[in-house]
Amino acid sequence: MTMQSINPFSGETIREYDEYSSAEVEQIIANVDHAFHLWKLTSFEQRAACMKNLQAKLLEKKEELAGIMVAEMGKVKREAIGEIEKCAWVCSFYAENAESFLDNEPIKTEASESYISYQPIGTVLAVMPWNFPFWQVFRFLAPALMAGNTGVLKHASNVSDCALAIEQLVREAGFPENVFRTLLIGSSAVKAVIENPKIKAVTLTGSTPAGKSVASAAGSVLKKSVLELGGSDPYLILEDADLEMAARLCVTSRLLNAGQSCIGAKRFIVADKIYDQFKSEFVRLMNEAKFGDPLDPQTTIGPLARVDLRDELHQQVWESRELGAIVLIGGYIPDGIAPFYPPTVLENVLPGMPAYHEELFGPVAVLFRVSSEDEAIRIANDTVFGLGAGVFTADIAKGKMLAEKGLQAGCVFVNDFVKSDPRLPFGGVKESGYGRELSAIGIREFVNVKTVVVK
Ligand code: NAP
């Protein structure tokens, strides 16, 4: 099978790759497993030196690396550069903190000594999506390698250039050969990789159906999995909220990466009293967004990554409209070959419509008018997803209470939009997945939490 990288803005085929054969995949995994048995013996200092080199390489080559992303999936250049800088941050974060996160933890018992020791487990498979083609990989790679594990990457089939560039960067940073390798394979080859005895665990970032498939394959051979899946993040705008700030931050989050973000704000649940005011400011700001060439500094949103993804999004909008949703702005397919989708705002969205239940992976926002906080929470939680959520209110105590006890989500931000941060755990509940990435908790997902007792 052939994998194609297509520039979504120009429609040109950038490159075609033949998928690796199963014999090639097995050989690479054997090499990575071999590398693990040496890498696990290295000190944190040695690993951190390589990780710091990787950080430096990312910063040195950020223009070039951002260009690969822009070409393969249409991200606007400014955001692509920010993504590379964030990857550099996660490298330095784990270079500096991995040792303390994985230090032995003494526990008081009747024995003369008892403690927890965190040990690497081997080669971990990472199945990754195209939407943040560097960041998603680095937030796995940095903690995994610092913990003493090795990794193989199966990236999304439309971003093979990004996948190979990451493999090359790791090499150039001075990591030993085969500590991290890319497998150019399609999704149908993933099950066999998971079943390979040399693979010890799997992490997937992607859609909920892909997560279910990978979790089943991992479960059938009793291997641990971490799943970072889709989201339909609700934002509550309470009647005491700073409206101008709420509208601005909600629009920023909804339009980031042309709306193709798992933690993009997607549903806006607004108190009746301020609904009309919020709606008019929100629609005004959505309308200001300029879609166009992702290399043009004036562009705020680039094309969606693939034509099929744009058409699927339009279908969700169209079906919702047929069922009675009101399209305030957008909701059409612009002329031209690039898969653009205009900023779109829907209201009167009800259960039974795709826009009510499904993830909208593009610049489409849904507004709900509610008459009480109970109703707001009910609508916010009336979803299979549970990734992020937001609350805008002047009453911080209430915001914290809703964040802690009201909203079913893995991360809730009060008076801001949800962002991933190396220092904070990241992940979801319900069908948004399980396990956590980033922070001390993320690095401990793929280690043997070993109890040692000395009588
Ligand atoms: P996707 O279609 O699920 O693909 C993600 C990865 O999984 C790709 O490498 C894909 O390979 C592979 N894959 C797909 N089906 C598979 C299967 N049945 N078995 C094994 N592997 C499979 O998702 P996407 O379209 O790339 O990304 C968008 C989705 O990712 C959205 O739902 C978004 O919310 C979610 N996401 C979540 C997070 C998070 O942290 N929670 C972050 C970013 C994105 P192929 O490309 O070869 O099909």
Side-chain angles (χ1 to χ4, degrees):
M1 284 264 288
T2 311
M3 301 162 89
Q4 286 188 315
S5 290
I6 296 174
N7 181 321
F9 181 65
S10 67
E12 284 161 22
T13 301
I14 304 168
R15 238 174 298 285
E16 289 188 336
Y17 293 97
D18 284 334
E19 267 186 43
Y20 294 176
S21 68
S22 49
E24 283 172 305
V25 169
E26 272 188 36
Q27 186 57 56
I28 292 172
I29 294 172
N31 294 344
V32 176
D33 178 58
H34 180 73
F36 167 68
H37 293 284
L38 301 171
W39 182 244
K40 70 176 181 190
L41 303 175
T42 55
S43 64
F44 280 106
E45 205 183 339
Q46 287 167 305
R47 293 175 206 161
C50 295
M51 199 53 76
K52 286 277 186 185
N53 287 343
L54 187 53
Q55 176 202 7
K57 285 269 159 220
L58 282 159
L59 295 175
E60 180 190 313
K61 295 186 151 192
K62 66 180 169 188
E63 284 282 331
E64 181 194 329
L65 300 170
I68 302 174
M69 262 191 271
V70 175
E72 272 193 322
M73 49 71 68
K75 191 185 293 282
V76 296
K77 180 87 181 283
R78 186 183 55 256
E79 290 184 16
I81 296 225
E83 182 168 337
I84 299 294
E85 288 170 346
K86 194 162 172 182
C87 294
W89 180 22
V90 81
C91 289
S92 72
F93 176 76
Y94 278 110
E96 284 156 21
N97 294 295
E99 184 168 11
S100 65
F101 291 158
L102 299 178
D103 227 5
N104 287 348
E105 267 181 47
I107 308 274
K108 228 174 157 31
T109 66
E110 301 73 34
S112 63
E113 203 181 347
S114 40
Y115 58 95
I116 303 167
S117 164
Y118 297 102
Q119 294 299 321
I121 53 167
T123 301
V124 182
L125 167 67
V127 182
M128 291 290 153
W130 47 264
N131 62 338
F132 292 93
F134 275 72
W135 169 241
Q136 305 294 359
V137 177
F138 272 84
R139 74 183 192 189
F140 154 73
L141 180 163
L145 299 193
M146 283 306 300
N149 292 318
T150 48
V152 285
L153 166 67
K154 179 267 176 280
H155 217 324
S157 295
N158 55 326
V159 290
S160 299
D161 277 357
C162 291
L164 292 171
I166 295 169
E167 182 183 66
Q168 179 59 19
L169 271 178
V170 173
R171 208 173 271 134
E172 286 172 14
F175 282 88
E177 191 60 27
N178 293 317
V179 157
F180 181 84
R181 292 294 304 274
T182 281
L183 303 174
L184 292 186
I185 52 173
S187 57
S188 58
V190 168
K191 188 166 181 285
V193 174
I194 293 171
E195 287 168 354
N196 185 314
K198 293 186 167 73
I199 295 293
K200 304 302 180 201
V202 56
T203 180
L204 175 135
T205 301
S207 61
T208 298
K212 287 181 180 175
S213 162
V214 159
S216 315
S220 73
V221 284
L222 293 180
K223 291 182 187 174
K224 182 167 179 181
S225 56
V226 165
L227 302 177
E228 298 288 355
L229 309 177
S232 186
D233 290 6
Y235 279 64
L236 310 188
I237 328 295
L238 305 188
E239 59 181 48
D240 62 354
D242 175 336
L243 273 189
E244 184 279 324
M245 173 181 75
R248 184 169 39 81
L249 295 178
C250 287
V251 168
T252 302
S253 174
R254 180 58 300 204
L255 295 183
L256 200 80
N257 207 29
Q260 304 164 115
S261 169
C262 53
I263 44 166
K266 293 177 184 140
R267 297 179 294 136
F268 304 92
I269 303 165
V270 189
D272 187 30
K273 205 167 146 192
I274 53 160
Y275 182 86
D276 292 326
Q277 224 183 322
F278 179 84
K279 172 172 129 181
S280 96
E281 182 63 1
F282 186 87
V283 167
R284 186 183 73 75
L285 293 171
M286 287 286 276
N287 249 333
E288 270 183 4
K290 186 173 172 303
F291 58 92
D293 182 348
L295 289 171
D296 181 343
Q298 303 300 317
T299 299
T300 14
I301 46 176
L304 300 198
R306 297 194 313 253
V307 175
D308 61 303
L309 296 166
R310 191 272 308 270
D311 292 351
E312 205 179 298
L313 179 69
H314 183 61
Q315 182 71 21
Q316 291 170 303
V317 170
W318 188 252
E319 271 179 36
S320 303
R321 183 184 186 158
E322 292 281 285
L323 292 167
I326 295 168
V327 180
L328 296 172
I329 52 163
Y332 62 92
I333 292 189
D335 291 337
I337 49 159
F340 283 112
Y341 205 69
T344 297
V345 183
L346 306 178
E347 66 175 357
N348 200 37
V349 168
L350 298 168
M353 300 180 187
Y356 188 91
H357 300 285
E358 297 171 10
E359 181 179 29
L360 297 167
F361 216 56
V364 180
V366 178
L367 301 183
F368 294 92
R369 183 197 284 265
V370 288
S371 51
S372 68
E373 272 162 36
D374 284 350
E375 190 187 3
I377 287 288
R378 186 185 57 71
I379 292 176
N381 291 337
D382 189 17
T383 168
V384 294
F385 298 110
L387 194 53
V391 185
F392 283 93
T393 177
D395 182 344
I396 300 301
K398 184 189 281 178
K400 283 164 63 178
M401 190 273 290
L402 292 171
E404 289 170 27
K405 305 205 190 296
L407 290 158
Q408 297 166 353
C411 356
V412 183
F413 280 45
V414 178
N415 291 330
D416 201 356
F417 61 87
V418 177
K419 306 169 187 96
S420 57
D421 178 325
R423 299 163 294 186
L424 296 167
F426 183 88
V429 295
K430 297 158 77 178
E431 290 199 7
S432 291
Y434 50 74
R436 291 292 178 267
E437 292 191 289
L438 303 174
S439 77
I441 293 178
I443 198 172
R444 291 180 189 153
E445 288 284 6
F446 294 123
V447 289
N448 176 3
V449 181
K450 193 180 266 186
T451 296
V452 179
V453 177
V454 181
K455 194 171 174 209

